[in-house]
Amino acid sequence: MTSKISMTVNGRQVEGSVEGRTLLVEFLREHLGLTGTHVGCDTSQCGACVVHVDGKAVKSCTLLAAAADGGDVVTIEGLADGTRLHPMQTAFKENHGLQCGFCTPGMIMSAVDLVNRHKSNGGGKLTEEKIRAELEGNICRCTGYHNIVKAIEAGAKAM
Amino acid sequence: MGMEGIGARVLRKEDQRFITGKGHYTDDFKMAGMHYAAFVRSPHAHAKIGKINKSAAEKMPGVVAVLDGKQLTGDGIGNLICGWMIHSKDGSPMNMGAWSALATEFVRYVGDGVAVVIADSPDNARTGAEAVEVDYKVLPHVTEAVVAMGSGAPQLHPEAKNNIIYDWEIGDKEAAEKAIAGSAHVTEMEIINNRLVPNPMEPRAALASYDSAQDHFTLYTTSQNPHVARLVLSAFYQVAPEHKLRVIAPDVGGGFGSKIYIYPEEIVCLWASKKTGVPVKWTSDRTEAFLADAHGRDHVTKARMGFDKDGRITGFSVDTVANLGAYMSLFSSSVPTYLYATLLSGQYNITNIHCNVRTVYTNTAPVDAYRGAGRPEATYLVERMMETAAREMGMDRAELRRKNFVTEFPHQTPVIMCYDAGDYGATLDAALKASDWAGFEKRKAAAARKGKLRGIGLSCYIEACGIAPSAAVGSLGAGVGLWESAEVRVNPVGTIEILTGSHSHGQGHETTFAQLVSERFGLPTDNVQIVHGDTDKVQFGMGTYGSRSGAVGMSAITKALDKVEAKAKKIAAHLLEADAGDIVIENGEVKVAGTDKKLGWHEVCLAAYTGHNLPAGMEPGLKEGAFYDPTNFTFPAGAYVCEVEVDPDTGKTEVVQFVAADDFGTIINPMIVEGQVHGGITQGIGQAMLEGAIYDGNGQLVTASYMDYCMPRADDVPSYQVSHHVTECPGNPLGMKGCGEAGAIGSPPALINAITDAIGNNNLTMPATPARVWAALNGK
């Protein structure tokens, strides 16, 4: 059984025909060719698949594509404004917040969401402790998180 | 030289594609007509395979083939091999059992592949695999090495009596025993080094295609060493001869050793692509990765260390049993021998060392090199012994180490290694100072006031990288040479491509290797492209593992750059009517020293390719290659201090400070080196406090997902204080030692020594979970 779905992905209206079991991450990767969003586990733990749906960070391995029907999805490919990088992307580069790059798209999408939520909750200083606690759902095996935390501190200031 | 040369914190060239989602990992590639593989894996730890009923699966939607091990061996695909021959102390060669890429008669661990289903979608392949019916006759199993050696244990391979693969020794047993017997104090410990799963964030994947018109295979794969993969696939597994097989390792999402090996899945995908006539892709899910990636560590060791009345080490005796799992993985035999026992002298001057190692088959996933590979096991043992000995003798922990440090170089240990350079006192001093070791008692008292137990621990590690002269490792049983190759191609416009046999999967080679060119010719790194990971582009290479890409890979590039520089100078000398010896190249210009005569670098390069006006007899072009074979291992070393607070009510440990003082020799890019240390320490903290692969009584891996295997997360670790103290390595042209594994090697003992200090009990096993810490604190 397939069903037709449509959604906005990175500002572009897209349509597709998916099985009921098709996950959002499969739709993005296999149907739309947006391979920047990665799958690192099968249990919603690692966060390599994080995208934004209707402005909120979502693990796209845990959402059916059909459930995102009509939604507004932003992936890592849609974060920059044309060739101008999002401040969080720049911060990851400038602070060496990535090594192999596999967790990076999900990490950046989570970081942007983290800062957005923090700001909408009144802002104030985004402490290291808070950043570390908020990154619970994103696993990185390379960096030891040290430079990711620094990158998010810098990205938050620039956002 | 310049802003981007050696020592500069150049931001990474590769980052742009990763931060914008434009990386190209194996699973991102598609081919026309591509199908997908799903493996039927054994649910039993040990069983005899009966009938395999494929008919239901073959009728499932989208399934094009269901293939099994008998078909695979019937087509002449060879067994997997271990590439390092170890002889037992009685002279007999290691007892290697057969390992077919798909099991034919027996399955020997949960996850062992039995069949593969090829279908038109990943979901259809998985559903098809679930429909394959395998009759298993379940056999008794054993998962612990010490039990597997015992009488009456289930036997895994007919070649290995009592499951023992080899019984090997190094050093002088009699001398060590005699020295220990005459010691004023003997510290005795039983140490377990816990089994880990490497867990790079990108699961393994393979995409194989067969071109029948050319009789040629292409394999995209998550490999740290594509050329080694091609060699082994060709020479041992008979998939295809090397010239008929292209192996591409594109962007690879971390390796940590686990992507060195050529696994059954790659072999099966290649074979199945020819058999079915369609490109075949397999992408591991995380649970498959836990089940079927090579695991690391898993040692049980009894050790005694003797000291004279002044605290000088007299002798060290070690007896280790290492679990190698159900089959011998590619380099598994070398890890608990030449990568482990040869480092048991630590940073210390020890005259008498003996180590016996028995490796054992068990019904568990194969065990091979994981970040550090043998050296973490050695360091953990030595540094727990030193810390415990100091406490037992009532001596200052730092002073006991200092008293025993090797201070003169070269230093020949009794276990093969000859340390070439180092200053262990300097890194110890730096770590003690940075951690305010002297002020610890105040912090401890402050912690006590809030009900916490504060402890501090030290670890002085040494390791060996840049493995090693090919002739030397050959004499020790290695089946390959351990050199590296490089080619420097200068284009007519003066830009440069470096083709390297090293492979970057997070290490930042595209940046650091370009910095060598910047240093040499004063060109911006933007003018340099690093080419790696494709056997059709790079002639040959040994890949990246054992922190070898600096000391060995960059040395090969340096040799090739030497040749390019020499030829460019000859061309410039000819054009400028000067002596080649007077030519200097800097800031992108080629000058005659002491004059205003000069050419742009690009002008010399263009002249090399136009060939209009070259010195008599010179070939046109500016492209040079080099092979570099190391003269010795390199010996990174350092001192780590860890400080913890333990909650006595719950046993929960918080790492409140971690200081690393490392000597990696020459550093090309400090930013990248620091990143390697951060990541290594975090994996070490993971081993010491969080991670452990557990097989239950049924031989099931119960830690086979991120819900069950505790990966270090951001809130498990602190920020780190990292510093470098350089003694140059005399063994290679750049003076480099290697930095990729040190963090994972030095950190576990520092952390455990801190916890045992906090709780006042030396008896604690990794991972030091709250339950274990609480039990140790309460004498349970």
Side-chain angles (χ1 to χ4, degrees):
Chain A
M1 262 302 278
T2 60
S3 58
K4 282 209 177 322
I5 56 168
S6 68
M7 62 185 82
T8 307
V9 177
N10 299 333
R12 192 166 61 92
Q13 191 66 25
V14 299
E15 293 184 350
S17 183
V18 297
E19 292 183 64
R21 64 184 173 181
T22 303
L23 301 168
L24 178 59
V25 67
E26 292 174 57
F27 182 66
L28 294 171
R29 287 181 57 82
E30 304 300 329
H31 294 240
L32 304 181
L34 294 169
T35 54
T37 301
H38 297 147
V39 179
C41 74
D42 335 305
T43 50
S44 303
Q45 294 288 306
C46 80
C49 64
V50 170
V51 299
H52 294 175
V53 179
D54 297 330
K56 288 182 179 167
V58 167
K59 287 182 173 170
S60 63
C61 75
T62 314
L63 189 71
L64 293 169
D69 188 23
D72 183 6
V73 178
V74 178
T75 71
I76 188 70
E77 289 94 340
L79 193 60
D81 179 6
T83 56
R84 206 175 77 225
L85 292 175
H86 186 280
M88 193 60 78
Q89 290 172 309
T90 306
F92 267 70
K93 174 168 178 153
E94 290 184 345
N95 290 279
H96 189 30
L98 62 148
Q99 290 182 25
C100 81
F102 195 80
C103 79
T104 308
M107 199 64 84
I108 290 176
M109 297 309 282
S110 284
V112 170
D113 179 67
L114 184 171
V115 175
N116 284 342
R117 280 187 288 110
H118 181 73
K119 289 196 168 166
S120 67
N121 288 337
K125 183 172 162 49
L126 190 53
T127 62
E128 175 179 346
E129 192 183 1
K130 168 97 173 155
I131 292 170
R132 287 183 180 276
E134 291 273 352
L135 286 182
E136 243 286 320
N138 289 80
I139 302 177
C140 170
R141 193 57 155 171
C142 295
T143 64
Y145 305 102
H146 181 110
N147 286 339
I148 289 177
V149 172
K150 277 170 56 186
I152 295 174
E153 284 172 341
K157 278 183 196 150
M159 267 171 74
Chain B
M1 182 195 284
M3 298 289 285
E4 296 185 315
I6 291 174
R9 303 176 80 90
V10 180
L11 297 181
R12 298 202 321 169
K13 288 158 63 75
E14 44 271 82
D15 283 357
Q16 181 70 20
R17 66 180 186 272
F18 295 134
I19 59 177
T20 55
K22 300 286 170 52
H24 288 290
Y25 301 87
T26 296
D27 188 50
D28 300 340
F29 288 86
K30 282 186 173 178
M31 288 185 183
M34 186 169 82
H35 280 57
Y36 299 84
F39 285 82
V40 178
R41 296 183 183 277
S42 170
H44 304 293
H46 197 191
K48 186 164 174 40
I49 301 170
K51 188 173 173 348
I52 300 176
N53 186 346
K54 303 175 184 174
S55 56
E58 283 165 344
K59 291 184 197 117
M60 298 291 286
V63 170
V64 299
V66 181
L67 306 170
D68 63 31
K70 286 195 174 139
Q71 290 171 287
L72 177 120
T73 51
D75 283 351
I77 301 297
N79 284 336
L80 282 83
I81 52 116
C82 177
W84 196 304
M85 170 55 71
I86 299 290
H87 288 84
S88 286
K89 56 195 178 194
D90 67 4
S92 61
M94 64 189 186
N95 306 310
M96 182 164 63
W99 184 11
S100 170
L102 290 172
T104 52
E105 227 183 321
F106 296 95
V107 287
R108 296 184 174 88
Y109 71 102
V110 172
D112 209 350
V114 178
V116 65
V117 173
I118 313 297
D120 61 354
S121 77
D123 285 337
N124 282 341
R126 283 198 182 119
T127 314
E130 283 168 17
V132 175
E133 295 165 15
V134 184
D135 289 335
Y136 294 104
K137 184 182 174 235
V138 176
L139 300 170
H141 68 275
V142 60
T143 58
E144 288 179 37
V146 173
V147 179
M149 295 190 306
S151 63
Q155 302 293 296
L156 269 74
H157 294 276
E159 296 85 354
K161 197 179 163 211
N162 295 327
N163 297 312
I164 293 174
I165 299 167
Y166 53 75
D167 183 353
W168 173 91
E169 68 176 348
I170 191 169
D172 186 334
K173 183 174 186 180
E174 203 177 318
E177 290 301 331
K178 200 174 157 194
I180 292 168
S183 297
H185 177 82
V186 178
T187 288
E188 193 164 350
M189 293 184 87
E190 182 167 331
I191 297 277
I192 293 171
N193 206 287
N194 44 327
R195 177 184 277 245
L196 304 175
V197 185
N199 271 304
M201 292 315 296
E202 180 205 21
R204 285 190 295 119
L207 169 56
S209 82
Y210 175 68
D211 177 347
S212 59
Q214 310 274 351
D215 188 27
H216 186 278
F217 289 89
T218 300
L219 174 68
Y220 287 84
T221 182
T222 50
S223 174
Q224 301 177 213
N225 36 217
H227 290 88
V228 175
R230 186 178 64 155
L231 169 67
V232 174
L233 285 164
S234 168
F236 296 98
Y237 308 151
Q238 279 89 42
V239 172
E242 280 180 283
H243 68 298
K244 295 286 187 186
L245 174 59
R246 177 184 186 187
V247 178
I248 300 166
D251 285 329
V252 173
F256 315 114
S258 70
K259 291 172 180 169
I260 297 172
Y261 327 112
I262 293 78
Y263 286 89
E265 291 86 358
E266 291 104 271
I267 302 169
V268 169
C269 284
L270 283 163
W271 167 67
S273 71
K274 183 172 182 180
K275 204 148 181 83
T276 59
V278 291
V280 173
K281 182 196 271 187
W282 168 76
T283 303
S284 173
D285 65 32
R286 184 56 61 183
T287 290
E288 271 187 299
F290 274 103
L291 293 175
D293 284 8
H295 293 182
R297 321 283 194 254
D298 205 343
H299 284 198
V300 177
T301 295
K302 289 180 178 166
R304 287 169 295 134
M305 190 180 271
F307 296 84
D308 70 15
K309 62 179 173 36
D310 298 321
R312 288 195 175 77
I313 304 166
T314 53
F316 191 22
S317 169
V318 178
D319 183 10
T320 293
V321 178
N323 189 341
L324 290 195
Y327 302 102
M328 292 191 75
S329 178
L330 192 64
F331 291 112
S332 58
S333 58
S334 64
V335 176
T337 49
Y338 293 111
L339 298 178
Y340 163 68
T342 55
L343 275 306
L344 288 172
S345 199
Q347 295 187 353
Y348 312 113
N349 194 345
I350 310 177
T351 311
N352 304 296
I353 299 176
H354 177 260
C355 177
N356 197 96
V357 178
R358 285 168 289 177
T359 51
V360 184
Y361 279 124
T362 64
N363 297 109
T364 62
V367 177
D368 206 322
Y370 162 57
R371 200 170 195 170
R375 293 101 81 203
E377 295 90 316
T379 299
Y380 184 64
L381 178 63
V382 171
E383 288 305 292
R384 286 218 47 201
M385 299 289 288
M386 291 299 283
E387 192 97 351
T388 303
R391 292 173 192 171
E392 288 174 352
M393 293 188 288
M395 295 181 71
D396 181 278
R397 291 174 273 168
E399 285 316 305
L400 179 68
R401 289 175 167 93
R402 202 186 299 278
K403 185 173 286 195
N404 285 284
F405 276 160
V406 170
T407 53
E408 289 176 16
F409 298 89
H411 172 82
Q412 179 63 54
T413 73
V415 281
I416 296 181
M417 294 302 184
C418 183
Y419 301 165
D420 54 5
D423 187 346
Y424 310 141
T427 43
L428 176 58
D429 288 343
L432 295 179
K433 187 168 177 222
S435 64
D436 186 23
W437 181 277
F440 170 72
E441 289 303 328
K442 265 189 197 166
R443 299 193 292 278
K444 183 175 179 168
R449 284 195 289 278
K450 50 178 190 168
K452 295 285 177 69
L453 302 171
R454 196 159 174 127
I456 194 164
L458 176 62
S459 158
C460 296
Y461 76 90
I462 187 163
E463 58 136 338
C465 295
I467 178 175
S470 294
V473 295
S475 73
L476 299 177
V480 291
L482 287 167
W483 40 262
E484 195 46 86
S485 82
E487 191 177 317
V488 175
R489 290 186 192 163
V490 184
N491 296 314
V493 293
T495 58
I496 293 180
E497 282 143 28
I498 291 182
L499 294 85
T500 169
S502 301
H503 186 277
S504 187
H505 30 279
Q507 296 90 339
H509 294 172
E510 290 168 47
T511 306
T512 50
F513 289 11
Q515 287 181 251
L516 295 185
V517 174
S518 216
E519 174 78 15
R520 183 70 69 117
F521 302 132
L523 300 173
T525 54
D526 277 348
N527 289 15
V528 185
Q529 185 78 20
I530 307 300
V531 179
H532 69 107
D534 185 341
T535 59
D536 261 15
K537 293 180 180 169
V538 180
Q539 188 217 342
F540 212 88
M542 293 309 297
T544 290
Y545 42 83
S547 307
R548 68 193 302 275
S549 300
V552 190
M554 283 190 179
S555 293
I557 295 169
T558 298
K559 275 186 74 178
L561 283 171
D562 289 344
K563 295 181 192 178
V564 165
E565 182 180 348
K567 185 167 180 182
K569 282 181 172 173
K570 278 186 196 160
I571 296 169
H574 177 73
L575 297 173
L576 295 168
E577 297 177 339
D579 190 277
D582 294 332
I583 301 289
V584 291
I585 306 176
E586 57 187 19
N587 299 324
E589 292 181 331
V590 187
K591 307 170 183 170
V592 181
T595 75
D596 59 357
K597 290 207 285 187
K598 65 180 181 185
L599 292 165
W601 166 254
H602 61 284
E603 293 177 279
V604 176
C605 301
L606 186 62
Y609 285 94
T610 61
H612 295 166
N613 185 14
L614 292 175
M618 179 183 276
E619 291 177 13
L622 194 51
K623 171 177 89 76
E624 300 287 348
F627 281 69
Y628 174 77
D629 201 332
T631 55
N632 189 2
F633 284 84
T634 66
F635 298 96
Y640 289 1
V641 173
C642 179
E643 206 163 316
V644 299
E645 281 188 3
V646 174
D647 181 336
D649 294 332
T650 63
K652 184 164 170 39
T653 300
E654 185 189 356
V655 179
V656 291
Q657 176 175 249
F658 202 106
V659 168
D662 296 291
D663 178 359
F664 297 136
T666 303
I667 289 170
I668 306 298
N669 185 327
M671 176 192 82
I672 285 175
V673 170
E674 288 158 13
Q676 289 291 312
V677 177
H678 299 154
I681 293 172
T682 304
Q683 288 185 17
I685 290 176
Q687 164 159 37
M689 226 167 69
L690 306 166
E691 299 177 40
I694 312 281
Y695 285 89
D696 72 4
N698 295 315
Q700 298 291 333
L701 184 64
V702 292
T703 51
S705 82
Y706 287 155
M707 314 214 5
D708 307 293
Y709 183 94
C710 191
M711 292 281 279
R713 306 197 185 214
D715 55 356
D716 291 317
V717 295
S719 287
Y720 305 114
Q721 296 177 62
V722 176
S723 65
H724 307 297
H725 308 270
V726 175
T727 63
E728 286 190 13
C729 174
N732 61 66
L734 293 164
M736 299 179 73
K737 297 185 181 181
C739 66
E741 296 158 291
I745 292 168
S747 55
L751 175 49
I752 296 297
N753 288 341
I755 300 175
T756 55
D757 181 53
I759 64 175
N761 183 349
N762 291 327
N763 189 12
L764 183 65
T765 300
M766 298 191 292
T769 57
R772 279 190 176 151
V773 172
W774 187 89
L777 177 61
N778 290 282
K780 307 278 182 192

